[in-house]
Amino acid sequence: HEGYAWTIFSTGKLPSCNDYQFYHPPLNALLQAGFMKITSAFTRLFSLGGGFFTKFAYKKPSYVDEERYFLYSTCQILAVLYSTVTAVTLVKTLNLFGFSGKLKVLLAAFLILYPRQIQFAGQLNNDGLSYMLGMLALYYALKWWKGERKFIWMIACAFAVGLGMMTKLSSATICLPIAGIFIYEFVCTLRKKEG
């Protein structure tokens, strides 16, 4: 994933081949390249150079220079952001179901402190962003289903699914529970019309 983001960062173009991880949809690499551009601008603005990058070069792979390693490592800020947004979304999803008191705290702690959720906060691949967008899509579908039948929630759900698929194609699996919501509503609507 580092080579994907670095190619976009250094050339301003998508990779011209599908080697290694280059076959993935580009959203995560685009965001990382953009964040690396911002970080690079800040390092130039504050005249941080050579010696500054060596402070962050612990366990640097031999195939990258110190600045490249530093810039890509700063993308961990994005990974933590994705994990935080996911945690907030999961708690908001619990709120939709009306859990309260100790049960809500217990469920929230389980969801937020689940080991895979913690791993997403430190990984620099596209899984964290894909997971975040999937949980947002599910949240918006549930928000529509639980009473606020506004069209905006369906647009937000579709937008989150689309962005998720621009991150990783397997994120389309979130459409299965969303389809379940629509099938349930369809059946309920048919029953009401029969009566």
Side-chain angles (χ1 to χ4, degrees), residues 98-129:
F99 294 116
S100 61
K102 292 180 181 178
L103 179 60
K104 179 182 172 185
V105 171
L106 182 66
L107 289 171
F110 177 77
L111 290 173
I112 293 169
L113 299 174
Y114 192 75
R116 190 66 176 132
Q117 174 77 5
I118 303 299
Q119 286 176 333
F120 282 144
Q123 291 180 333
L124 289 173
N125 60 10
N126 54 3
D127 292 338
L129 179 59

Short mmCIF file of all heavy atoms in Angstrom, two decimals, residues 98-129:
data_model
loop_
_atom_site.label_atom_id
_atom_site.label_comp_id
_atom_site.label_asym_id
_atom_site.label_seq_id
_atom_site.Cartn_x
_atom_site.Cartn_y
_atom_site.Cartn_z
N GLY A 98 -31.99 1.84 21.36
CA GLY A 98 -32.55 2.18 22.67
C GLY A 98 -31.89 1.51 23.85
O GLY A 98 -32.48 1.46 24.93
N PHE A 99 -30.70 1.00 23.68
CA PHE A 99 -30.00 0.43 24.85
C PHE A 99 -29.67 1.55 25.82
O PHE A 99 -29.36 2.67 25.42
CB PHE A 99 -28.71 -0.27 24.42
CG PHE A 99 -28.92 -1.48 23.57
CD1 PHE A 99 -28.47 -1.51 22.25
CD2 PHE A 99 -29.57 -2.60 24.06
CE1 PHE A 99 -28.65 -2.62 21.46
CE2 PHE A 99 -29.76 -3.72 23.28
CZ PHE A 99 -29.30 -3.73 21.97
N SER A 100 -29.71 1.24 27.10
CA SER A 100 -29.37 2.27 28.09
C SER A 100 -28.68 1.63 29.28
O SER A 100 -28.67 0.41 29.44
CB SER A 100 -30.64 3.00 28.54
OG SER A 100 -31.54 2.09 29.15
N GLY A 101 -28.13 2.47 30.12
CA GLY A 101 -27.50 2.02 31.35
C GLY A 101 -26.29 1.14 31.13
O GLY A 101 -25.50 1.33 30.22
N LYS A 102 -26.16 0.15 32.02
CA LYS A 102 -24.99 -0.72 32.03
C LYS A 102 -24.88 -1.56 30.75
O LYS A 102 -23.77 -1.82 30.28
CB LYS A 102 -25.01 -1.62 33.24
CG LYS A 102 -24.82 -0.89 34.55
CD LYS A 102 -24.86 -1.82 35.73
CE LYS A 102 -24.69 -1.04 37.02
NZ LYS A 102 -24.78 -1.91 38.20
N LEU A 103 -26.01 -1.99 30.21
CA LEU A 103 -25.97 -2.79 28.99
C LEU A 103 -25.36 -1.99 27.83
O LEU A 103 -24.54 -2.50 27.08
CB LEU A 103 -27.37 -3.28 28.62
CG LEU A 103 -27.45 -4.13 27.35
CD1 LEU A 103 -26.60 -5.38 27.47
CD2 LEU A 103 -28.89 -4.47 27.03
N LYS A 104 -25.76 -0.73 27.72
CA LYS A 104 -25.21 0.11 26.65
C LYS A 104 -23.70 0.31 26.83
O LYS A 104 -22.95 0.23 25.86
CB LYS A 104 -25.92 1.46 26.63
CG LYS A 104 -25.40 2.40 25.57
CD LYS A 104 -26.11 3.73 25.63
CE LYS A 104 -25.45 4.72 24.71
NZ LYS A 104 -26.05 6.04 24.83
N VAL A 105 -23.27 0.54 28.07
CA VAL A 105 -21.85 0.73 28.33
C VAL A 105 -21.07 -0.55 28.01
O VAL A 105 -20.01 -0.51 27.40
CB VAL A 105 -21.61 1.17 29.80
CG1 VAL A 105 -20.14 1.16 30.15
CG2 VAL A 105 -22.21 2.54 30.04
N LEU A 106 -21.64 -1.69 28.40
CA LEU A 106 -20.98 -2.97 28.14
C LEU A 106 -20.88 -3.24 26.63
O LEU A 106 -19.81 -3.61 26.13
CB LEU A 106 -21.75 -4.10 28.83
CG LEU A 106 -21.16 -5.49 28.69
CD1 LEU A 106 -19.82 -5.58 29.40
CD2 LEU A 106 -22.11 -6.53 29.23
N LEU A 107 -21.96 -3.03 25.91
CA LEU A 107 -21.94 -3.24 24.45
C LEU A 107 -20.99 -2.25 23.75
O LEU A 107 -20.26 -2.63 22.85
CB LEU A 107 -23.35 -3.11 23.88
CG LEU A 107 -24.32 -4.23 24.22
CD1 LEU A 107 -25.73 -3.87 23.77
CD2 LEU A 107 -23.87 -5.54 23.61
N ALA A 108 -21.02 -1.00 24.20
CA ALA A 108 -20.13 0.01 23.60
C ALA A 108 -18.66 -0.34 23.86
O ALA A 108 -17.82 -0.25 22.96
CB ALA A 108 -20.44 1.40 24.15
N ALA A 109 -18.36 -0.78 25.08
CA ALA A 109 -16.98 -1.17 25.40
C ALA A 109 -16.55 -2.36 24.55
O ALA A 109 -15.42 -2.40 24.05
CB ALA A 109 -16.86 -1.50 26.89
N PHE A 110 -17.45 -3.32 24.38
CA PHE A 110 -17.12 -4.49 23.56
C PHE A 110 -16.83 -4.08 22.12
O PHE A 110 -15.85 -4.52 21.52
CB PHE A 110 -18.27 -5.51 23.60
CG PHE A 110 -18.03 -6.69 22.73
CD1 PHE A 110 -17.17 -7.70 23.11
CD2 PHE A 110 -18.66 -6.81 21.49
CE1 PHE A 110 -16.93 -8.80 22.30
CE2 PHE A 110 -18.44 -7.90 20.67
CZ PHE A 110 -17.57 -8.89 21.08
N LEU A 111 -17.69 -3.22 21.56
CA LEU A 111 -17.51 -2.82 20.16
C LEU A 111 -16.26 -1.96 19.96
O LEU A 111 -15.52 -2.12 18.99
CB LEU A 111 -18.74 -2.06 19.67
CG LEU A 111 -20.02 -2.90 19.50
CD1 LEU A 111 -21.20 -2.00 19.18
CD2 LEU A 111 -19.83 -3.94 18.42
N ILE A 112 -16.04 -1.02 20.87
CA ILE A 112 -14.91 -0.10 20.71
C ILE A 112 -13.58 -0.77 21.00
O ILE A 112 -12.58 -0.52 20.32
CB ILE A 112 -15.11 1.14 21.61
CG1 ILE A 112 -16.30 1.95 21.11
CG2 ILE A 112 -13.86 2.00 21.65
CD1 ILE A 112 -16.74 3.04 22.06
N LEU A 113 -13.54 -1.65 22.00
CA LEU A 113 -12.29 -2.28 22.41
C LEU A 113 -12.07 -3.65 21.77
O LEU A 113 -11.14 -4.36 22.15
CB LEU A 113 -12.23 -2.39 23.93
CG LEU A 113 -12.29 -1.05 24.67
CD1 LEU A 113 -12.36 -1.27 26.16
CD2 LEU A 113 -11.12 -0.16 24.29
N TYR A 114 -12.90 -4.00 20.82
CA TYR A 114 -12.72 -5.27 20.12
C TYR A 114 -11.33 -5.25 19.46
O TYR A 114 -10.94 -4.25 18.85
CB TYR A 114 -13.83 -5.46 19.07
CG TYR A 114 -13.89 -6.84 18.51
CD1 TYR A 114 -14.42 -7.88 19.26
CD2 TYR A 114 -13.41 -7.12 17.24
CE1 TYR A 114 -14.48 -9.17 18.76
CE2 TYR A 114 -13.46 -8.40 16.72
CZ TYR A 114 -13.99 -9.42 17.50
OH TYR A 114 -14.05 -10.70 17.00
N PRO A 115 -10.56 -6.32 19.60
CA PRO A 115 -9.17 -6.29 19.11
C PRO A 115 -9.00 -5.85 17.65
O PRO A 115 -8.07 -5.11 17.33
CB PRO A 115 -8.69 -7.74 19.31
CG PRO A 115 -9.52 -8.23 20.45
CD PRO A 115 -10.86 -7.58 20.29
N ARG A 116 -9.88 -6.27 16.78
CA ARG A 116 -9.73 -5.88 15.37
C ARG A 116 -9.93 -4.38 15.20
O ARG A 116 -9.29 -3.75 14.36
CB ARG A 116 -10.72 -6.67 14.51
CG ARG A 116 -10.48 -6.51 13.04
CD ARG A 116 -9.16 -7.13 12.62
NE ARG A 116 -8.99 -7.04 11.19
CZ ARG A 116 -7.90 -6.60 10.60
NH1 ARG A 116 -6.85 -6.24 11.32
NH2 ARG A 116 -7.81 -6.54 9.30
N GLN A 117 -10.82 -3.80 15.99
CA GLN A 117 -11.04 -2.36 15.96
C GLN A 117 -9.76 -1.62 16.36
O GLN A 117 -9.41 -0.60 15.76
CB GLN A 117 -12.20 -2.01 16.91
CG GLN A 117 -12.46 -0.55 17.10
CD GLN A 117 -13.19 0.10 15.95
OE1 GLN A 117 -13.61 -0.55 15.00
NE2 GLN A 117 -13.33 1.38 16.02
N ILE A 118 -9.06 -2.14 17.35
CA ILE A 118 -7.80 -1.53 17.79
C ILE A 118 -6.74 -1.67 16.70
O ILE A 118 -5.98 -0.75 16.42
CB ILE A 118 -7.31 -2.18 19.11
CG1 ILE A 118 -8.36 -2.06 20.21
CG2 ILE A 118 -5.98 -1.59 19.55
CD1 ILE A 118 -8.73 -0.66 20.60
N GLN A 119 -6.70 -2.83 16.04
CA GLN A 119 -5.72 -3.04 14.96
C GLN A 119 -5.94 -2.06 13.82
O GLN A 119 -4.97 -1.57 13.23
CB GLN A 119 -5.81 -4.47 14.43
CG GLN A 119 -5.23 -5.50 15.34
CD GLN A 119 -5.43 -6.90 14.81
OE1 GLN A 119 -6.37 -7.17 14.07
NE2 GLN A 119 -4.53 -7.81 15.17
N PHE A 120 -7.20 -1.78 13.49
CA PHE A 120 -7.49 -0.85 12.40
C PHE A 120 -6.87 0.53 12.67
O PHE A 120 -6.51 1.23 11.74
CB PHE A 120 -9.00 -0.69 12.20
CG PHE A 120 -9.65 -1.81 11.46
CD1 PHE A 120 -10.92 -2.23 11.81
CD2 PHE A 120 -9.02 -2.46 10.41
CE1 PHE A 120 -11.54 -3.27 11.13
CE2 PHE A 120 -9.63 -3.51 9.72
CZ PHE A 120 -10.88 -3.91 10.09
N ALA A 121 -6.75 0.90 13.95
CA ALA A 121 -6.21 2.22 14.29
C ALA A 121 -4.72 2.33 14.01
O ALA A 121 -4.19 3.45 14.01
CB ALA A 121 -6.48 2.53 15.76
N GLY A 122 -4.05 1.22 13.76
CA GLY A 122 -2.62 1.28 13.50
C GLY A 122 -2.20 0.78 12.13
O GLY A 122 -1.03 0.83 11.79
N GLN A 123 -3.15 0.29 11.35
CA GLN A 123 -2.80 -0.26 10.04
C GLN A 123 -2.87 0.81 8.96
O GLN A 123 -3.74 1.67 8.99
CB GLN A 123 -3.76 -1.40 9.67
CG GLN A 123 -3.58 -2.62 10.52
CD GLN A 123 -4.55 -3.72 10.13
OE1 GLN A 123 -5.62 -3.47 9.62
NE2 GLN A 123 -4.15 -4.96 10.37
N LEU A 124 -1.94 0.72 8.02
CA LEU A 124 -1.89 1.70 6.95
C LEU A 124 -2.42 1.14 5.63
O LEU A 124 -2.11 1.65 4.57
CB LEU A 124 -0.46 2.19 6.76
CG LEU A 124 0.05 3.08 7.90
CD1 LEU A 124 1.52 3.39 7.71
CD2 LEU A 124 -0.75 4.35 7.98
N ASN A 125 -3.24 0.11 5.70
CA ASN A 125 -3.85 -0.41 4.47
C ASN A 125 -5.26 0.15 4.34
O ASN A 125 -5.66 1.03 5.09
CB ASN A 125 -3.81 -1.94 4.45
CG ASN A 125 -4.56 -2.55 5.61
OD1 ASN A 125 -5.25 -1.87 6.35
ND2 ASN A 125 -4.41 -3.84 5.78
N ASN A 126 -6.03 -0.38 3.41
CA ASN A 126 -7.35 0.18 3.13
C ASN A 126 -8.47 -0.43 3.97
O ASN A 126 -9.62 -0.05 3.82
CB ASN A 126 -7.68 0.05 1.65
CG ASN A 126 -7.55 -1.37 1.14
OD1 ASN A 126 -7.27 -2.29 1.90
ND2 ASN A 126 -7.73 -1.56 -0.15
N ASP A 127 -8.16 -1.35 4.86
CA ASP A 127 -9.19 -2.02 5.65
C ASP A 127 -9.93 -1.08 6.61
O ASP A 127 -11.14 -1.16 6.74
CB ASP A 127 -8.59 -3.19 6.44
CG ASP A 127 -8.13 -4.31 5.55
OD1 ASP A 127 -8.62 -4.41 4.41
OD2 ASP A 127 -7.27 -5.10 5.98
N GLY A 128 -9.20 -0.22 7.29
CA GLY A 128 -9.83 0.69 8.26
C GLY A 128 -10.82 1.64 7.62
O GLY A 128 -11.92 1.84 8.14
N LEU A 129 -10.45 2.21 6.49
CA LEU A 129 -11.36 3.12 5.79
C LEU A 129 -12.57 2.37 5.24
O LEU A 129 -13.70 2.85 5.33
CB LEU A 129 -10.61 3.84 4.65
CG LEU A 129 -11.43 4.82 3.81
CD1 LEU A 129 -12.02 5.93 4.67
CD2 LEU A 129 -10.56 5.40 2.70
#
